[in-house]
Amino acid sequence: MTLSIQRLRQCLSIRNIGYFLVTTVILIDLIIIQSPPWYLRLLLGILLASSTIIPYIRRFTIPAMPVFGYLLSFYAVQFVPTEYRPQHIFVNILPTLERILYGANLSEIISNHQHPVLDIIAWLPYGIVHFSFPFIFAFILFVFGPPGSLDIFGIAFGWMNALAVFTQFSFPNAAPWYEMTYGSAPADYSIHGEAGGLARIDKILGLELYGSSFGHSPLVFGAFPSLHSANATFTMLFLFYLKRKLWPLCVVHVMWMWWATMYLTHHYLIDLVGGSMYAFCAFFIAKKYLPTINPNYRTRLAYLGITKISLSAFVHSIENRDRSKSTGYMKEANSNSMTHLNNDDEEALLMKQDDYEHIIAVDDGEEYPLQSRPVSLVSGISTSSSSSPGPSSPRSTSLDFVPPTK
């Protein structure tokens, strides 16, 4: 009975429920999507499913499933029939709230001061950094963060964006560019998106990049919350988690993104605040699952007890990232026998510790020596005399054992 309850708890864990939900979302998205053809969508589904059982690749694709679900949902909303969408598109609510809360339409004020140099400065975070930096930071977190932190980053990042897209779909709002083009005229789903200030970037580059992409945007009225703000804030929160000394850079990056989105007339300030709120909520939920940062460890290899840094070591660490847990458990299992040793057995104690350092542990079918672990077996030995000294009073030895690093 107890075993059945334990199995039920394992099946109903938060992570398993999350995987079930994201699998359901992906299946619904693949059904809703009308282009590409069904056989290509079926192939995509097979590839995603197969990636979860391929060694090494599965370590990245499984935590990234919420990200795939978010991307598919963002693309799929354009195929939802109009009768199943919200029938009212809010045109005035965001600028009205902006004037009430902040005393003015800050996006309009900022976008009125235009210059080609400012266009480039705004384009870099909005059009380049937003799409590339999450991947760059994921690589940084993989190299320098503790094992398991990248998984939490991918899961939380995907769910945050998926919930933001659901909010944009169920609560459609027009962006500042709509107000500048159409005023307060009612909006409908036949209106195509516009590039706003990014149209000036197309002229500078001599391309039709943003005019074409925003013109075919699958979610035209998705001003609130801002995904640009949410992603920038979320990534900087994880950068702060990784390296607290970089907090000024985190603040500057978010403020840079906020200014760029308003300057390019794609978001009101209230959209940006809403996006950052989504990011803070996602981060603080994910924070309790994040491993502890050790400031003495420079890379993920140090957390696994690997001293020699090489490309092959990083590759092997992908599948062997849980070794430190198993070594910690083995030390705990052997700690009881060592606590009974006294000072008269110090030589035996040292021999015992030497034996433990050469134990071979098995993890996922592979063997490795425990001496490669960075965690000390014994952190301290303190000797104290008995309260009633005498030739027959034994001296006691207390051993403090380091718990396994989670």
Side-chain angles (χ1 to χ4, degrees):
M1 185 66 178
T2 304
L3 183 59
S4 300
I5 294 176
Q6 290 178 350
R7 289 179 178 177
L8 180 61
R9 288 178 178 176
Q10 290 177 354
C11 294
L12 295 179
S13 66
I14 295 177
R15 177 164 292 191
N16 288 340
I17 293 174
Y19 288 145
F20 172 78
L21 291 176
V22 76
T23 302
T24 303
V25 169
I26 290 176
L27 289 175
I28 293 174
D29 289 337
L30 293 176
I31 294 173
I32 293 176
I33 293 173
Q34 301 299 315
S35 177
W38 67 268
Y39 52 87
L40 292 180
R41 284 176 275 147
L42 178 61
L43 177 61
L44 176 61
I46 294 174
L47 290 176
L48 286 176
S50 301
S51 68
T52 62
I53 60 175
I54 300 175
Y56 295 97
I57 294 178
R58 64 179 179 176
R59 295 295 189 179
F60 297 100
T61 56
I62 292 179
M65 280 299 165
V67 179
F68 297 139
Y70 141 64
L71 294 174
L72 285 172
S73 297
F74 182 78
Y75 178 73
V77 293
Q78 63 182 312
F79 300 102
V80 177
T82 304
E83 56 267 24
Y84 294 108
R85 302 185 190 186
Q87 297 304 303
H88 182 72
I89 299 173
F90 296 93
V91 174
N92 298 315
I93 187 171
L94 294 182
T96 301
L97 287 174
E98 180 129 326
R99 292 182 178 94
I100 293 174
L101 295 175
Y102 311 116
N105 188 332
L106 299 181
S107 177
E108 183 178 357
I109 295 174
I110 292 174
S111 62
N112 284 335
H113 301 81
Q114 301 175 5
H115 191 277
V117 175
L118 295 179
D119 293 342
I120 297 296
I121 295 175
W123 166 62
L124 289 175
Y126 192 91
I128 302 296
V129 176
H130 170 71
F131 298 100
S132 60
F133 190 69
F135 297 98
I136 296 173
F137 179 75
F139 177 77
I140 294 173
L141 192 59
F142 170 76
V143 175
F144 299 102
S149 58
L150 179 58
D151 293 5
I152 303 302
F153 174 79
I155 293 171
F157 182 85
W159 278 113
M160 177 194 69
N161 280 278
L163 292 174
V165 168
F166 178 78
T167 304
Q168 292 175 344
F169 175 78
S170 57
F171 181 50
N173 282 273
W177 60 260
Y178 181 91
E179 183 183 17
M180 294 181 178
T181 304
Y182 301 98
S184 298
D188 59 68
Y189 293 108
S190 64
I191 297 175
H192 294 281
E194 294 185 9
L198 289 173
R200 299 191 297 272
I201 298 298
D202 281 349
K203 291 181 180 180
I204 293 175
L205 300 178
L207 302 172
E208 286 294 331
L209 177 62
Y210 294 103
S212 175
S213 60
F214 279 92
H216 297 87
S217 174
L219 194 55
V220 176
F221 299 104
F224 183 89
S226 167
L227 293 182
H228 281 74
S229 174
N231 292 347
T233 305
F234 183 79
T235 307
M236 290 301 103
L237 286 171
F238 263 83
L239 180 59
F240 177 73
Y241 151 78
L242 185 62
K243 198 71 173 178
R244 291 180 177 269
K245 293 181 179 180
L246 296 179
W247 70 264
L249 175 63
C250 300
V251 174
V252 169
H253 177 77
V254 173
M255 292 298 101
W256 186 23
M257 184 67 75
W258 279 23
W259 170 80
T261 55
M262 290 188 288
Y263 176 80
L264 297 172
T265 68
H266 280 275
H267 287 288
Y268 298 99
L269 180 58
I270 193 171
D271 307 333
L272 305 174
V273 174
S276 291
M277 291 177 64
Y278 271 66
F280 273 99
C281 290
F283 176 77
F284 284 113
I285 292 174
K287 186 179 180 181
K288 63 180 180 179
Y289 299 102
L290 285 171
T292 303
I293 293 290
N294 189 326
N296 298 321
Y297 293 167
R298 299 186 62 182
T299 68
R300 69 183 275 115
L301 298 182
Y303 290 90
L304 299 173
I306 303 173
T307 57
K308 185 178 180 180
I309 299 177
S310 64
L311 179 60
S312 62
F314 278 105
V315 173
H316 289 300
S317 73
I318 296 173
E319 281 291 332
N320 302 328
R321 59 186 179 178
D322 296 328
R323 284 180 173 177
S324 58
K325 294 182 180 180
S326 60
T327 55
Y329 297 150
M330 291 191 67
K331 283 185 293 188
E332 285 185 336
N334 292 298
S335 63
N336 293 332
S337 62
M338 296 187 66
T339 55
H340 299 293
L341 296 175
N342 55 37
N343 280 347
D344 295 330
D345 298 320
E346 284 182 352
E347 183 177 355
L349 173 64
L350 295 175
M351 294 177 62
K352 196 88 171 178
Q353 180 174 351
D354 185 68
D355 289 339
Y356 282 137
E357 289 179 349
H358 294 85
I359 290 176
I360 301 297
V362 178
D363 181 40
D364 290 339
E366 299 183 14
E367 297 183 347
Y368 61 92
L370 289 190
Q371 63 182 3
S372 64
R373 297 289 143 247
V375 184
S376 303
L377 182 64
V378 180
S379 63
I381 304 177
S382 60
T383 305
S384 60
S385 299
S386 175
S387 57
S388 55
S392 61
S393 20
R395 291 175 297 172
S396 62
T397 303
S398 63
L399 304 178
D400 298 325
F401 291 88
V402 180
T405 302
K406 294 183 178 180

